[in-house]
């Protein structure tokens, strides 16, 4: 029995291409290999946008623009991309600011050893800042996904 689902294959290939590209861009930009970038969120291009765009492109090519499947997929894609560039990006910016504040508190404690009320703050783990995407990262991810969607189907 042969299994070939172009929609699923396009989505998986698009995610893998985006994550690989993200890993390479990060390694070149920072001159350092960071394995977390293989599966981590955030960065250029958006793998979320790439995945849902590839999925939507193949569904469009298989079922047409008037199908229920395409309408569902396009709606999902728009929600995912909006969330990536909106809510998740804002959460990442908040995390960055909270980490900065935490660093200031740590410096204060080091310079004022008599103040020990901040010990609980220092036990909080550093928050993850790579969560969302800039609009450009989402657009590039979507372009990658659409391209792979057309190539697969």
């Amino acid at each position: 029995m042969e299994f070939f689902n172009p929609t699923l294959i396009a989505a998986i290939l698009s995610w893998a291409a985006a994550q690989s590209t993200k890993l390479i861009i990060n390694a070149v930009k920072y001159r350092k290999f960071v394995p977390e970038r293989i599966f981590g969120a955030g960065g250029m291009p958006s793998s979320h946008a790439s995945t849902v765009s590839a999925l939507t492109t193949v569904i469009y090519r298989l079922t047409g623009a008037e199908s229920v499947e395409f309408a569902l997929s396009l709606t999902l894609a728009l929600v995912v991309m909006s969330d990536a560039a909106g809510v998740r990006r804002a959460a990442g910016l908040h995390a960055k600011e909270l980490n900065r504040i935490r660093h200031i508190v740590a410096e204060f404690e080091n310079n004022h050893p008599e103040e020990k009320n901040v010990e609980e703050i220092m036990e909080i783990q550093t928050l993850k800042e790579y969560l969302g995407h800039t609009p450009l990262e989402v657009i590039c991810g979507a372009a990658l996904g659409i391209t792979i969607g057309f190539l697969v189907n």
Side-chain angles (χ1 to χ4, degrees):
M1 182 168 132
E2 188 176 317
F3 176 77
F4 179 73
N5 184 328
T7 310
L8 184 59
I9 290 169
I12 292 169
L13 283 176
S14 189
W15 174 85
Q19 288 301 110
S20 299
T21 303
K22 196 180 299 190
L23 179 70
I24 292 166
I25 288 172
N26 193 73
V28 169
K29 184 175 180 179
Y30 297 106
R31 300 184 191 275
K32 184 169 126 180
F33 176 76
V34 180
E36 190 270 334
R37 299 308 315 144
I38 296 171
F39 296 104
M44 171 66 92
S46 166
S47 58
H48 290 83
S50 180
T51 303
V52 295
S53 294
L55 182 78
T56 302
T57 300
V58 174
I59 289 172
Y60 165 76
R61 297 209 28 160
L62 291 174
T63 66
E66 295 179 6
S67 71
V68 171
E69 296 88 349
F70 175 72
L72 286 169
S73 184
L74 181 61
T75 302
L76 170 70
L78 293 173
V79 168
V80 166
M81 289 187 280
S82 174
D83 180 66
V87 175
R88 287 191 312 114
R89 181 163 184 242
L93 294 173
H94 290 155
K96 187 174 188 174
E97 190 63 21
L98 288 170
N99 287 336
R100 188 183 72 77
I101 292 168
R102 185 173 178 268
H103 179 74
I104 291 168
V105 170
E107 277 188 32
F108 175 81
E109 183 183 50
N110 289 338
N111 293 330
H112 300 86
E114 68 279 1
E115 299 288 334
K116 293 296 179 190
N117 298 335
V118 294
E119 289 179 11
E120 291 177 15
I121 294 172
M122 300 317 300
E123 292 177 10
I124 298 172
Q125 292 182 349
T126 301
L127 298 172
K128 190 173 186 177
E129 296 176 12
Y130 265 129
L131 296 174
H133 297 280
T134 65
L136 180 62
E137 291 169 346
V138 171
I139 290 167
C140 289
L144 176 63
I146 291 168
T147 301
I148 289 174
F150 273 100
L151 290 174
V152 168
N153 189 357

